[in-house]
Amino acid sequence: MTATYRPAEPIWCAGCGHFGVEAALIAALADLDVPKEETLVLAGIGCSGTIQNNMGTYGYHALHGRVLPTATGSWEANPELTVIAAGGDGDGYAIGMGHLIHTFRRNPSITYIVMNNGIYGLTKGQNSPTRQGTAALDAALLGLSVLETTFIARGFTRAPDQLRRLTAAALTHARQGHGFAFLEVLSPCVTYNDTYPRWETEHIDLDADDTYDPTDRSSAFTRVVALEAEYRIPVGLIYHDPSAEPGSFPNPASADIDPVRNAEAYSGIIDRYRI
Amino acid sequence: MTRVLSDLNAMVAGQGGDGSLTVVTLLGNVLAGRGFHLYSTRNVASRIKGGPAAALVRGSIEPRTGMGDTLDVFVAFDTEAIELSGHRVAADGFVVYDSSAGPLPSGYLPDDVTVIEIPFGRLAVADLRRELYKNSLAFGVVSRILTFSDTEAASVLEARFASRPDLVERNLEALREGFTFADDHGFTQNAGPLRLTDTKHSDRILISGNHAAALGCLVAGVRFFAGYPITPATEVLEFMTRHIGSYGGVAIQAEDELAAVNMALGASLAGVRSLVATSGPGISLMQEGIGHAGAAELPLVVIDAQRAGPSTGMPTKSEQSDIGMLVHGGNGDFPRIVLAPGNPSDAFELAMTATNLAQAIQGPVYLMLDQAVSQDSATVPPFDVSNVEIDPGQRLTHDQLDTLDAYRRYAITDDGPSPLAVPGMPGGMGLVTGNEHDEWGKVSTDPVNRVAMMDKRARKIEAVLDEMPTGHRFGDPSAPVGIVGVGMESGVMREAAERLIATGTPIAGLQPRTIWPVPHETLAFLASKERVYVVEHNHEGQLAQILASVGRDCATVTSILKYDGLPFTPAELTTRIAEKEAAT
Ligand SMILES: Cc1ncc(C[n+]2csc(CCOP(=O)(O)OP(=O)(O)O)c2C)c(N)n1
Ligand code: SF4
Ligand SMILES: [Mg+2]
């Protein structure tokens, strides 16, 4: 067996929410028996953007804000991979926000985990677009407003079992080719913005609410707006498109690039220019 | 008296949407059928419809990549065309003017020009019910001026409308009406004032640099493309969108150039040969991503179809003012290669080389075009796809990976590149990052490791120096005076050199095709001359600066610059050099 890198020890402060995200991801990948060599974890830049070092899978450290287009490119190139994008709220909702909207729209079968702590951890505590919990900017609402969106969930690192379930559900959605699985995790930064106490009281579990129907986009939207008006943060499976079908995708990574076998076809293109 | 031409320059101008292109296409088809080389270019305003638009074609016995000095035949569909371009007509040239636009404006044409005034537009509407037929009418007159037989003209027209049988009859009618008018003006069949010299037809293709470059990348195995529309690079996006899917590949129109370059990096990470294409503003946005390709060691081909800058600049005008950005842009030091084709054959060949070199150096390779090379078309021998080489670089097979004790993504090697496994391969798991890293891909600021990694990356370039494309030579190799230029200067430099030599100024020419790293060949050329003129389309002499920064004997370099959005004419460049020579 060829030896590969030894997964790194997390570099996070004791108590950082990101530990919980990593634990849930490792557990969910194990629950689903995803082979490490078929898993590609791409991360943004931030404290959150070190998670890929700790996994033992293929790992990639994207540019700040660009983890979604990078992950989209990897998945388009080889849709047989389990492609997981991860990053912080600064990475995803500030510098990278444009890409999030277009990824909802494009709906590639990748999983995206945003570790929302309301601040920029790595650069030492500046405000992020979600500084007031989620009231300032809610990516779940944004996702609901894009008609192509197929999966939106929010977890909380204080609810590890649910987080593991939601992570597995997101991974399954993407791995089955149903589309883009978006999972935001309330993942407090204990050093610069300890939101544990607030989020403990503000979060509300939609999974525990029998009257909530996560397959109904418009009622989901109405409910999320209503909850946020009461300063509550909805957690759980927020929306899941029940009609999402597994797509069939080209696989450039296994395309035949042999020039001899392709010569005739290439000549056909050249013929179009004959004069 | 019939004048026999071995070099014909023609222009058709009117308003955008006028169909000016049609006349030029038809003319080009006759020229090509007769064995002439073609060069064709357009002159358009940067808007959708309307605004002055012109199509130009040059047919010549010698292959030329650029228009000649003056126009032999000029078809003008409106007064503005005469006002804008009348001065370009040769003194012994012919102007076909659409007088339905009003009386011929005076003072714009040389005195002795022959002008044929016919109300094409009005006639087309009156007799044929559609203004567009004026193009076939005009082609009828042009055919008679150039002494094409009526049957030759008709067959070219029929071939052109082969896919639209409903349009053939009306267009033929228009053509015949054109013949009648020519008769009225004394241009009878087989007795026109101009005639093409005889030459043999040979097998050629007419293709633009953008299409040739896109095709070269495809043939060399590119199976992922991401782009965002921008003049003058859009044809690469269009080509890939049209063709790559048939070869198992994917082309994506991204939301912006930041997304495009990072998508390509992601695809490259997954082991697929990846391409982006854009112009200056997009290259600016891609700088961070291209530097990332350098640091994280990801193969990437970047086509830059340069246009006049800075900022949004003049989108449809050619310039070479991104050279400095390509060579030095991005934060930090990282190895990159910049190749510059001068015509469609070069573009095809260098695109294949660039694709392989990107794999070999596991990093960014620029293919630097300019608007003229990108969008103008020229006839070249059909591309040979029977001998294409695909260099896998250090990409590991499953078996090779299995024989390794350990896989380190950034293993330090003698020649630089590290063995490469891609996601999906058991045992090949690695960490890829633009942070400085150790051999495993773990972030490291250790000073010894830092130096080792910087040096390793730099070594990758040294290892491929011998594979870099060599330049094209022309002129008199033993001359003490030299001329150097790339891209759109390639063709016009040759013509200027021919003229200078013919008038007693020996000059040696080099069109380097590798810009960065500056190859030994270029430095040796500079060192071997007393004086070298570096011809480029920018204000700062960017290429000359780079040569001066690397070459030791560059005190001899004199810049010949142009940045008005127009290409050099052969006469203009010849004069610019002759004046400098006279002053030395
Ligand atoms: C282009 C660019 N701008 C700025 C930075 C600096 N930077 C690094 S991480 C970061 C913010 C991280 O915040 P977040 O994404 O929320 O991650 P967290 O550390 O909170 O997990 C910034 C601004 C950068 N790396 N690149
Ligand atoms: S600074 Fe905050 S986000 Fe970063 S590791 Fe520490 S607790 Fe976590
Ligand atoms: Mg954050």
Side-chain angles (χ1 to χ4, degrees), chain A residues 18 48 88-91 115-122 128 130 187 189:
Chain A
H18 301 350
S48 43
D89 46 334
D91 195 82
M115 293 166 240
N116 182 3
N117 53 16
I119 50 107
Y120 290 4
L122 191 69
S128 90
T130 56
S187 176
C189 168

Side-chain angles (χ1 to χ4, degrees), chain A residues 3 6 61 74 106 272-273, chain B residues 211 242 255 266 405 407 442:
Chain A
R6 192 171 330 129
H61 198 192
S74 295
R106 214 175 263 125
R272 294 163 184 254
Y273 297 93
Chain B
H211 280 216
R242 177 167 182 185
E255 57 269 33
D405 294 337
Y407 174 72
K442 292 218 176 118

